Every structure is written in C-alpha cells, then in structure tokens.
Amino acid sequence: QMCIRDSDNLNVVNMPVLGTDSLLGVRYIVSDYALEGMNKVEDIVDNANGAGVYENPYSLPMAFEYDSGKYTAAKYNGNPFEYQNELYSELLGRKVEIYKPLKYETVVSKAKKRVYKMEIPEGNYIAYGNIPWNSLFNAKLNVNGIYRTGYARWLSPSVFNIPVNEDRDYYKVVLHSKQKLDLDDGAEQFYVLDLDLLKSIAEELEKNTPDVMDIENGSAEFVVNAKEGQSLFTSIPYCDGWTVKVNGQKVQPDKVVDSLYSISLVEGENVVEMKFHVKYAGAGIACSIIGIAMLVFAVLLCFKLVLKLYTHHFFGNGGVKMLKTILMVIYVIVCIVLAIVVLSQEGKDASLTSSISGAGGGFDNSYWSKNKGSSKQEILKKITAVLTVLFFVLALLLDSKLFN
C-alpha cells in the first residue's frame, strides 16, 4: 500500500521509494542512475551492469518510541503518497506532509499514449509518480529519458521514481502501449518528497531510540524508558512466529501498516523481548527424519537384492564369499590411506575429527581462510571426508547379514 498496488496483479519494486525505504530502515540503495539527496558510496566498485550503491541519510532507526493514539491511525485511500503522509503523522503525533502534490500537464492524450510534463520545483526534492490503471494493458514507461520500465503488466512497478535529467529543466513521463490505455483521466498521481523535512524527521525519531537495542537473527531485545501512552515501533516484519514479552509478560502487539510491530509500553522502564519460533518446526523435522529413514531402508533393500542377483550371476554359489574378500581388501586399503592422509595434515590436533571439521586450528576470518578451498590442506580434508564416508559404508556392509 505504501508503494505497491493492492490488486490481483503481482507488482514489484525495482526502484527506490525513499519514504518507504527510510521507514523500513534501509541504509543503502542500489541504483543504475544518480539519486537526488543521496551520496554514492565510492568505496564500492560498480557492478557489471553499471549500478552503484548509494547511502540513505534519511533512514529511520529500526525501533523508536512514539505517542500511540495521539494522531489518527493511517488508512489507505488508494493514494500511496497521502497514505505515507498519514503514516508519518501517526508516528510523530502531529500532521506532516513529506509528500507534496506536483502539478502536471497532460501534453499528449491518445488512446494508446499519454505524455505528462511537470515543472521541477525549487528546493531539495525528489519526484515520484503513480498512474492507477483499471486493467492490465502491457505498457512501457519512459521516465524523463533516464530509464524505461514495463507498466500496467505482470511484475511491473506501481510507484516510480522520476530522476532529474540534466538536459531538461522539467520532468517528462511517457506511457504508451500497443493496446488501449485503460486509465481514469485525472487520477494520475505525481508528488515530490521533501528531503529536508524527511531529514529532520529522521533526526527527531533518532532521539527516541531505546536505551538498549539488540537485534539478531530470530531475536530482539529493547530496554525503553517510556512515558504514559507511548508504544514502541519497530520495522521488524509482523509474523505469527514472533513471541513478544514486555517485562516478562507475554503481550499481543498491534500492527502498523498491517505489517510492522507496534508494542504498547507501560510508564517507566520496559524490557521488550522478541523471539521467533518456526511454526511446526518439530513436526517438519520429524517428517524429514522419517522420510530419510524410509529412503535409506529402501535403498539398502534394493541394493541387497541387486547384489545377490549379480554375485550369483557372475561368481556362482561362492560369489558372496569372493565379494566379501574383495570388499575386505578395499576396506583395509581405505583404512591405510585414511591413516596416512590424516597424519599428513598440518595442525595442532591431527585427529580424524579435526581433519574433517577443521577444529583445533582456531577461528580464522582472514581472506586466506575464506579462499583456501584449492589449497593442499583443504584438498586433504576433502579426501579425508570422502574416505571416512567410504570407511563407514564398507564397515556397515561387511557387518550386515548379507555376508554373515
């Protein structure tokens, strides 16, 4: 709802929408064209398609306190820009307009083509557009001569960024299709984002961050000194797998934009704990183990039947004994080679366990440790792993009822 149409069509976001990105705490943005108000990270080399990495100075903290209920909760009305204005107003407790309408002119209005033209306002702004459609018509969108993208089609964006073209003193958006454009004339939405206002909001909310904020994969902990009526906003996505506790008591959090957490606080110190549990993980693991066991049993059964047929066919009645002798010779060879390989490896702990897992040498996070897959020692470890598996397979096979 903040930047994607609410429809049966699968939309994507393939360009930055700074108001949304900042709310979600996005610090870095990849783009193949310059972004107003953001600095390119020069330390990172552009990738093969020419896209660069830009730092977002307007990024909001991942969690902060706000006065819940002080401003009416945001409700989506079909306009993603006004919706974001209402959302920021709710979090700040007062009315703000980070997006302002941009006057536009429809210079070409044909059945299969629209051309929109807008003046570039003075100030620190970045422009966006959204052209609501009634049905898909597989159009193409030329945005100010900077980039082209599909529109009103499967996997197309809804809200799009309008970058400044240095060769023009205006914005220009061209929408065309081989089919008739199914649009509501006059419903087009063109807005500019006030970057100065967004920056001041980010600085204001930064002061409301928790005293302690520890977010890891699958867990989060916050210590907040709250006033009466305050809640904790966090951009952690809402999911049934999260369990939320405040001061040791399990609570049912509210939702912001129907997808992010808002946790009610009590006056004074609040210890907020969030733990994620994968639903039905135990049942899934049990089913996987049962499935693997059944597969191993079926493979061993088939192998036993096939082995009996082949040994009888090629070796006659004494085939089983002869095959056991061959496997015993191979087993002894594997044992000898495995011992030699293990003893030839470097390290403080030249054991089978350390040879397989790499234990005993400490944790090394250097460039060499991450790129030593083709080194002699690494090759020896791989050989050790293969021989170990072969050792156990032969041992189990020779001890089975097939040869006893």
Side-chain angles (χ1 to χ4, degrees), residues 15 80-81 118 127-132 141 151 158-162 173 188-192:
M15 61 194 70
F81 306 108
M118 295 138 277
Y128 293 95
N130 179 42
I131 306 175
L141 195 67
Y151 207 71
S158 179
V159 173
F160 54 90
N161 171 230
I162 309 176
V173 175
E188 297 89 345
Q189 301 161 1
F190 294 100
Y191 281 73
V192 289

Side-chain angles (χ1 to χ4, degrees), residues 64-327:
F64 54 84
E65 310 107 76
Y66 76 102
D67 294 322
S68 56
K70 192 173 181 179
Y71 193 88
T72 306
K75 294 183 179 180
Y76 184 65
N77 61 356
N79 186 321
F81 306 108
E82 296 295 344
Y83 181 55
Q84 289 183 62
N85 283 342
E86 291 297 310
L87 176 58
Y88 275 86
S89 298
E90 178 185 353
L91 296 176
L92 290 165
R94 66 180 186 275
K95 185 173 179 60
V96 294
E97 291 185 351
I98 60 171
Y99 288 98
K100 297 176 174 61
L102 182 61
K103 292 183 179 180
Y104 67 93
E105 178 186 0
T106 306
V107 295
V108 175
S109 180
K110 296 182 179 179
K112 299 180 180 180
K113 184 176 182 180
R114 294 286 193 283
V115 179
Y116 306 98
K117 185 177 179 181
M118 295 138 277
E119 293 184 3
I120 300 177
E122 294 183 1
N124 193 14
Y125 298 101
I126 183 171
Y128 293 95
N130 179 42
I131 306 175
W133 61 78
N134 297 317
S135 63
L136 302 180
F137 44 82
N138 296 321
K140 292 183 179 180
L141 195 67
N142 184 323
V143 183
N144 213 25
I146 301 296
Y147 69 89
R148 294 174 174 81
T149 184
Y151 207 71
R153 63 169 64 178
W154 181 256
L155 292 180
S156 67
S158 179
V159 173
F160 54 90
N161 171 230
I162 309 176
V164 172
N165 189 329
E166 295 181 355
D167 297 330
R168 300 173 179 173
D169 58 356
Y170 56 87
Y171 297 123
K172 183 180 179 181
V173 175
V174 180
L175 179 69
H176 62 92
S177 173
K178 294 181 180 180
Q179 306 175 31
K180 183 179 178 180
L181 306 183
D182 188 9
L183 303 172
D184 289 332
D185 291 330
E188 297 89 345
Q189 301 161 1
F190 294 100
Y191 281 73
V192 289
L193 174 61
D194 189 334
L195 297 179
D196 291 335
L197 178 57
L198 184 60
K199 180 66 173 178
S200 66
I201 290 173
E203 293 173 349
E204 179 181 343
L205 294 178
E206 184 71 33
K207 299 176 182 178
N208 297 336
T209 55
D211 299 330
V212 176
M213 181 165 57
D214 183 16
I215 301 176
E216 299 179 356
N217 185 22
S219 66
E221 183 175 349
F222 310 95
V223 177
V224 186
N225 282 304
K227 298 177 182 177
E228 184 178 358
Q230 284 192 323
S231 294
L232 179 69
F233 167 85
T234 174
S235 54
I236 296 175
Y238 194 96
C239 178
D240 290 340
W242 284 105
T243 299
V244 182
K245 293 182 179 180
V246 177
N247 295 331
Q249 299 295 320
K250 187 176 179 180
V251 298
Q252 181 61 42
D254 298 319
K255 288 188 282 187
V256 177
V257 297
D258 203 36
S259 58
L260 305 176
Y261 277 100
S262 175
I263 304 168
S264 298
L265 305 173
V266 298
E267 186 176 3
E269 185 177 84
N270 295 260
V271 178
V272 180
E273 298 173 285
M274 300 179 66
K275 297 285 185 181
F276 187 80
H277 306 278
V278 179
K279 295 185 70 175
Y280 310 115
I285 294 172
C287 290
S288 298
I289 294 174
I290 293 172
I292 293 172
M294 293 175 64
L295 177 62
V296 171
F297 177 77
V299 170
L300 290 177
L301 183 62
C302 291
F303 179 76
K304 181 178 180 180
L305 294 174
V306 171
L307 192 60
K308 276 189 174 182
L309 290 174
Y310 272 82
T311 53
H312 180 75
H313 178 75
F314 287 104
F315 302 104
N317 294 329
V320 174
K321 291 184 178 180
M322 184 178 295
L323 181 60
K324 182 178 182 180
T325 303
I326 294 173
L327 291 177

